Amino acid sequence: MNTDNGPSPGIPPTPSPVDSRGFAAEFKDAVTLRAFGLVLGGLLVQLAFIVSYVGAFHSPTPHRIPVAVAAPQQVSAKIVAQLNALDGDPVKAEAVVDADAARKRVLDRESDAAFLFDATGTRDTLLVASAGGPSVSQTATQIAQKIEAAQKRQITVTDIRPPNSGDGRGMTSFYLVVGWVIGGYLTATIMGMAAGTRPANRSRTLIRLAVLVLYALVSGLAGAAIVGPGFDALGGHFWALTGIGTLIVLASATTALALQTLLGLIGTGVVILLFVVLGNPSSGGVYPAPLLPSFWSAIGQALPPGAGTTLVRNTVYFTGHATSGALWVLGAYAVGGAVLAVGAAWWRENRVDTEVPAA
């Protein structure tokens, strides 16, 4: 029976790697240039996150809020000119033929508010649709009240399209889209990390794309069920939201797959920069474009969070008006990401084939 309780006589014990190398050697091995670069990259993303969100939200200021003006012809031009001459250009007024036309412009998402002038009295009306963004409706109301008080007139505010009772302040669309976008790029990232950051070949890339399509469909169904039958926040549009969710998840996932195929780990950072750091604050979910600084207002609808939020809101509350641009943007990300991922895998595969004989 073996009763060995220690090293055999004459054979010295094997020193542990830490003891043999020492702390200085371990430190030098741990703190590599690559590790330093990753930590620095994390710091830069963190600071960019703070700058982007604070820059977008720290001081919301109205700028050229679209307003339709319905007034008799003899005073219409004067009212429009007065509104467009306000300091800071808070509104962009445009005359329409009558109250019905003004109401239609708001519901078609061509205007955020409509001003109806009362030619026989002193009580005018402001039409808003807070389902399209409560903050911009409140801002338009404050501007109208200030102007009317200066003119010794009164204003009645009518919300012709408020959010659903289960939608609170109309933020469900934004949170739903954020969940879809994050789920898309996280799943693509996890698939890449599970078997190497970069797909080895076109076959593996095609397999991952097929899995992402199935994932996007399940994610779209689940998201629509949560906000519809689950919480009754955006009810009555289950299949439309399922299709929208599938498209949004695909746009996020295929773009992430493409960037990670091209850039490896750096691609994940680029995805976070585009979709989270820049995409969320510029999306219009918290503050619509007329209240955002020019940079965030300009990029919002060109990124999946902004296009997705617009598509969900306008589908649920405005019968699909003003959604074609958002559909094109999301479709471009979904299809472009897939094509770019396959192309990048093909390019890497060919590069490896040409390098192996030389080696």
Coordinates of all heavy atoms in Angstrom, one line a residue, residues 179-194 208 211-216 219 249 252-254 256-257 260:
G179 N -34.8 46.7 -26.0 CA -34.6 45.2 -25.7 C -34.3 44.4 -27.0 O -33.5 43.5 -26.9
W180 N -35.0 44.7 -28.0 CA -34.8 44.0 -29.3 C -33.4 44.2 -29.8 O -32.7 43.3 -30.2 CB -35.8 44.4 -30.3 CG -37.1 43.6 -30.2 CD1 -37.3 42.3 -29.7 CD2 -38.4 44.1 -30.6 NE1 -38.6 42.0 -29.8 CE2 -39.3 43.0 -30.3 CE3 -38.9 45.2 -31.2 CZ2 -40.7 43.1 -30.6 CZ3 -40.3 45.3 -31.4 CH2 -41.1 44.3 -31.1
V181 N -32.9 45.5 -29.8 CA -31.6 45.8 -30.3 C -30.5 45.2 -29.5 O -29.6 44.5 -30.0 CB -31.4 47.3 -30.4 CG1 -29.9 47.7 -30.7 CG2 -32.3 48.0 -31.4
I182 N -30.6 45.3 -28.2 CA -29.6 44.7 -27.3 C -29.6 43.1 -27.4 O -28.5 42.5 -27.5 CB -29.9 45.1 -25.8 CG1 -29.6 46.6 -25.6 CG2 -29.0 44.2 -24.9 CD1 -29.9 47.1 -24.2
G183 N -30.8 42.5 -27.5 CA -30.8 41.1 -27.7 C -30.2 40.6 -29.0 O -29.5 39.6 -29.0
G184 N -30.4 41.4 -30.0 CA -29.8 41.0 -31.3 C -28.3 41.0 -31.3 O -27.6 40.1 -31.7
Y185 N -27.6 42.1 -30.8 CA -26.2 42.2 -30.9 C -25.5 41.3 -29.8 O -24.4 40.8 -30.0 CB -25.7 43.6 -30.9 CG -25.6 44.4 -29.6 CD1 -24.7 44.1 -28.6 CD2 -26.5 45.5 -29.4 CE1 -24.7 44.8 -27.4 CE2 -26.5 46.2 -28.2 CZ -25.6 45.8 -27.2 OH -25.5 46.6 -26.1
L186 N -26.2 41.2 -28.7 CA -25.6 40.3 -27.6 C -25.6 38.8 -28.1 O -24.6 38.1 -27.9 CB -26.4 40.4 -26.4 CG -26.1 41.5 -25.4 CD1 -26.9 41.4 -24.1 CD2 -24.6 41.5 -25.0
T187 N -26.7 38.4 -28.8 CA -26.7 37.0 -29.3 C -25.7 36.8 -30.3 O -25.0 35.8 -30.3 CB -28.1 36.7 -29.8 OG1 -29.1 36.9 -28.8 CG2 -28.2 35.3 -30.3
A188 N -25.5 37.7 -31.2 CA -24.4 37.6 -32.2 C -23.1 37.5 -31.6 O -22.2 36.8 -32.0 CB -24.5 38.7 -33.2
T189 N -22.9 38.4 -30.6 CA -21.6 38.4 -29.9 C -21.3 37.1 -29.1 O -20.2 36.5 -29.2 CB -21.5 39.6 -28.9 OG1 -21.8 40.8 -29.6 CG2 -20.2 39.6 -28.1
I190 N -22.3 36.6 -28.5 CA -22.2 35.3 -27.7 C -21.9 34.1 -28.7 O -21.0 33.3 -28.4 CB -23.5 35.0 -26.9 CG1 -23.6 36.0 -25.8 CG2 -23.4 33.6 -26.4 CD1 -24.9 36.0 -25.1
M191 N -22.5 34.1 -29.8 CA -22.2 33.1 -30.8 C -20.8 33.2 -31.3 O -20.1 32.1 -31.5 CB -23.2 33.2 -32.0 CG -24.6 32.8 -31.7 SD -25.8 33.1 -33.0 CE -25.1 32.0 -34.2
G192 N -20.3 34.4 -31.5 CA -18.9 34.5 -31.9 C -17.9 34.1 -30.8 O -16.9 33.5 -31.1
M193 N -18.2 34.4 -29.6 CA -17.3 34.1 -28.5 C -17.3 32.6 -28.2 O -16.4 32.0 -27.7 CB -17.7 34.9 -27.2 CG -17.5 36.4 -27.3 SD -18.2 37.2 -25.9 CE -17.1 36.6 -24.6
A194 N -18.4 31.9 -28.5 CA -18.5 30.5 -28.2 C -17.6 29.6 -29.0 O -17.2 28.6 -28.5 CB -20.0 30.0 -28.4
R208 N -24.6 30.6 -38.7 CA -24.9 31.6 -37.7 C -26.0 32.6 -38.2 O -26.9 33.0 -37.4 CB -23.7 32.4 -37.3 CG -22.6 31.6 -36.6 CD -21.4 32.4 -36.2 NE -20.4 31.6 -35.5 CZ -19.3 32.0 -35.1 NH1 -18.9 33.3 -35.2 NH2 -18.4 31.1 -34.5
V211 N -29.3 30.8 -37.7 CA -29.7 30.7 -36.3 C -30.2 32.1 -35.9 O -31.2 32.2 -35.2 CB -28.5 30.3 -35.4 CG1 -28.8 30.5 -34.0 CG2 -28.1 28.9 -35.7
L212 N -29.6 33.2 -36.4 CA -30.0 34.5 -36.0 C -31.4 34.8 -36.6 O -32.2 35.5 -35.9 CB -29.0 35.5 -36.5 CG -27.7 35.6 -35.7 CD1 -26.7 36.6 -36.4 CD2 -27.9 35.9 -34.3
V213 N -31.7 34.3 -37.7 CA -33.1 34.5 -38.3 C -34.1 33.9 -37.4 O -35.2 34.4 -37.1 CB -33.2 33.9 -39.7 CG1 -34.6 33.9 -40.2 CG2 -32.3 34.8 -40.7
L214 N -33.9 32.6 -37.0 CA -34.8 31.9 -36.0 C -34.9 32.7 -34.7 O -36.0 32.8 -34.2 CB -34.3 30.5 -35.8 CG -34.4 29.6 -37.0 CD1 -33.8 28.2 -36.7 CD2 -35.8 29.4 -37.5
Y215 N -33.7 33.1 -34.2 CA -33.7 33.9 -32.9 C -34.5 35.2 -33.1 O -35.3 35.5 -32.2 CB -32.3 34.2 -32.5 CG -32.2 35.1 -31.4 CD1 -32.4 34.7 -30.1 CD2 -32.1 36.5 -31.6 CE1 -32.3 35.5 -29.0 CE2 -32.0 37.4 -30.5 CZ -32.1 36.9 -29.2 OH -32.1 37.8 -28.1
A216 N -34.4 35.8 -34.2 CA -35.1 37.1 -34.4 C -36.6 36.9 -34.4 O -37.4 37.7 -33.9 CB -34.6 37.8 -35.7
S219 N -37.7 36.2 -30.9 CA -37.6 37.4 -30.1 C -38.8 38.4 -30.5 O -39.4 39.1 -29.6 CB -36.3 38.1 -30.4 OG -36.1 39.3 -29.6
V249 N -34.4 43.0 -34.7 CA -33.4 42.1 -34.1 C -32.4 41.7 -35.2 O -31.2 41.6 -35.0 CB -34.1 40.9 -33.5 CG1 -33.0 39.8 -33.1 CG2 -34.9 41.3 -32.3
S252 N -29.9 44.5 -35.9 CA -28.9 44.6 -34.9 C -27.9 43.4 -34.9 O -26.7 43.6 -34.9 CB -29.6 44.6 -33.5 OG -28.6 44.5 -32.5
A253 N -28.5 42.2 -35.1 CA -27.6 41.0 -35.0 C -26.7 40.8 -36.2 O -25.5 40.5 -36.1 CB -28.5 39.7 -34.9
T254 N -27.2 41.0 -37.4 CA -26.4 40.8 -38.6 C -25.3 41.9 -38.7 O -24.2 41.7 -39.1 CB -27.2 40.8 -39.9 OG1 -27.9 42.1 -40.0 CG2 -28.2 39.7 -39.9
A256 N -23.9 43.4 -36.1 CA -22.9 43.0 -35.1 C -22.0 41.8 -35.6 O -20.8 41.8 -35.5 CB -23.6 42.5 -33.8
L257 N -22.7 40.8 -36.3 CA -21.9 39.7 -36.8 C -20.9 40.2 -37.9 O -19.8 39.7 -37.9 CB -22.9 38.7 -37.4 CG -22.3 37.5 -38.1 CD1 -21.5 36.7 -37.1 CD2 -23.3 36.6 -38.7
Q260 N -18.0 42.1 -36.2 CA -17.1 41.2 -35.4 C -16.3 40.4 -36.4 O -15.2 40.0 -36.1 CB -18.0 40.4 -34.5 CG -18.5 41.2 -33.3 CD -19.7 40.6 -32.7 OE1 -20.1 39.4 -33.0 NE2 -20.4 41.2 -31.8

